[in-house]
Amino acid sequence: STAYVSALGQKPSFLEDEAQNQILLTGYKKRVIETKDFFLSPRRNLKFLESSHIKYIYLPKIFNVRVDELMNIKKIFENDQVIIYKFGD
Protein backbone atom coordinates (compact mmCIF):
# COMPACT_ATOMS: atom_id res chain seq x y z
CA SER A 1 0.00 0.00 0.00
CA THR A 2 1.05 3.60 -0.40
CA ALA A 3 0.36 6.79 1.51
CA TYR A 4 -1.61 8.47 -1.26
CA VAL A 5 -5.03 8.00 0.38
CA SER A 6 -4.13 9.99 3.48
CA ALA A 7 -2.07 12.46 1.46
CA LEU A 8 -4.86 13.24 -1.00
CA GLY A 9 -7.62 13.06 1.59
CA GLN A 10 -5.61 15.15 4.07
CA LYS A 11 -6.76 12.83 6.86
CA PRO A 12 -4.82 10.33 8.94
CA SER A 13 -5.20 6.65 8.11
CA PHE A 14 -5.21 3.66 10.44
CA LEU A 15 -3.01 1.43 8.28
CA GLU A 16 -1.15 2.53 5.19
CA ASP A 17 2.27 2.28 3.53
CA GLU A 18 3.58 -0.78 5.33
CA ALA A 19 6.96 -0.55 3.57
CA GLN A 20 7.57 2.91 5.00
CA ASN A 21 6.45 1.75 8.45
CA GLN A 22 8.94 -1.12 8.28
CA ILE A 23 11.75 1.31 7.46
CA LEU A 24 10.77 3.70 10.25
CA LEU A 25 10.27 0.85 12.75
CA THR A 26 6.87 2.13 13.85
CA GLY A 27 4.46 0.01 15.89
CA TYR A 28 2.37 -0.82 12.83
CA LYS A 29 2.33 -4.62 13.30
CA LYS A 30 -0.38 -4.41 15.98
CA ARG A 31 -2.52 -2.47 13.52
CA VAL A 32 -1.94 -5.10 10.83
CA ILE A 33 -3.19 -7.82 13.19
CA GLU A 34 -6.22 -5.77 14.29
CA THR A 35 -7.10 -5.06 10.66
CA LYS A 36 -6.83 -8.72 9.66
CA ASP A 37 -8.98 -9.73 12.62
CA PHE A 38 -11.62 -7.23 11.52
CA PHE A 39 -11.78 -8.62 7.99
CA LEU A 40 -12.03 -12.19 9.29
CA SER A 41 -15.13 -11.34 11.31
CA PRO A 42 -16.40 -7.80 10.68
CA ARG A 43 -19.77 -8.42 12.37
CA ARG A 44 -18.10 -9.23 15.68
CA ASN A 45 -15.49 -6.49 15.34
CA LEU A 46 -17.53 -3.34 14.74
CA LYS A 47 -16.24 -2.07 18.09
CA PHE A 48 -12.76 -2.09 16.56
CA LEU A 49 -13.86 0.54 14.01
CA GLU A 50 -15.44 2.65 16.71
CA SER A 51 -12.59 2.45 19.22
CA SER A 52 -10.03 3.15 16.48
CA HIS A 53 -12.03 6.15 15.22
CA ILE A 54 -12.22 4.66 11.72
CA LYS A 55 -14.81 6.38 9.54
CA TYR A 56 -13.95 5.04 6.09
CA ILE A 57 -12.71 1.73 4.71
CA TYR A 58 -10.77 2.01 1.44
CA LEU A 59 -10.38 -1.36 -0.28
CA PRO A 60 -8.50 -1.79 -3.55
CA LYS A 61 -10.24 -4.54 -5.51
CA ILE A 62 -6.89 -6.21 -6.18
CA PHE A 63 -6.95 -7.32 -2.50
CA ASN A 64 -10.05 -9.40 -3.28
CA VAL A 65 -11.70 -8.46 0.03
CA ARG A 66 -15.26 -7.30 0.55
CA VAL A 67 -17.10 -6.02 3.57
CA ASP A 68 -20.71 -6.99 4.11
CA GLU A 69 -22.84 -3.92 4.40
CA LEU A 70 -24.06 -3.93 7.96
CA MET A 71 -26.27 -1.48 9.77
CA ASN A 72 -23.39 0.97 10.31
CA ILE A 73 -21.26 0.13 7.25
CA LYS A 74 -22.45 1.40 3.87
CA LYS A 75 -20.77 1.36 0.48
CA ILE A 76 -20.45 4.97 -0.67
CA PHE A 77 -18.24 4.58 -3.76
CA GLU A 78 -17.16 1.89 -6.21
CA ASN A 79 -15.32 1.87 -9.50
CA ASP A 80 -13.29 -0.75 -11.33
CA GLN A 81 -10.34 -0.39 -8.93
CA VAL A 82 -11.64 0.41 -5.46
CA ILE A 83 -14.57 0.24 -3.03
CA ILE A 84 -15.03 2.80 -0.25
CA TYR A 85 -17.29 2.13 2.72
CA LYS A 86 -18.39 4.58 5.41
CA PHE A 87 -18.80 3.54 9.03
CA GLY A 88 -21.19 5.33 11.34
CA ASP A 89 -23.91 7.87 10.76
Side-chain angles (χ1 to χ4, degrees):
S1 67
T2 64
Y4 73 90
V5 172
S6 60
L8 294 175
Q10 299 179 353
K11 301 285 183 185
S13 61
F14 185 79
L15 181 64
E16 192 171 58
D17 202 351
E18 289 182 56
Q20 188 67 29
N21 280 296
Q22 289 173 347
I23 292 167
L24 296 173
L25 301 173
T26 64
Y28 76 98
K29 289 183 181 183
K30 179 182 179 206
R31 289 184 174 212
V32 170
I33 292 168
E34 290 173 326
T35 302
K36 286 181 180 180
D37 287 347
F38 168 76
F39 285 110
L40 290 174
S41 183
R43 289 182 189 276
R44 284 195 325 229
N45 294 312
L46 288 176
K47 287 184 181 182
F48 158 72
L49 296 177
E50 189 174 301
S51 65
S52 300
H53 306 288
I54 295 172
K55 295 179 183 175
Y56 297 94
I57 302 170
Y58 176 92
L59 285 176
K61 287 187 174 180
I62 195 166
F63 291 168
N64 233 5
V65 175
R66 286 210 174 260
V67 173
D68 291 335
E69 290 188 64
L70 305 170
M71 185 185 321
N72 290 338
I73 299 177
K74 302 287 183 208
K75 182 174 17 174
I76 60 168
F77 179 82
E78 181 174 9
N79 66 17
D80 60 332
Q81 296 180 354
V82 67
I83 301 173
I84 300 175
Y85 298 91
K86 184 174 185 199
F87 172 68
D89 298 330

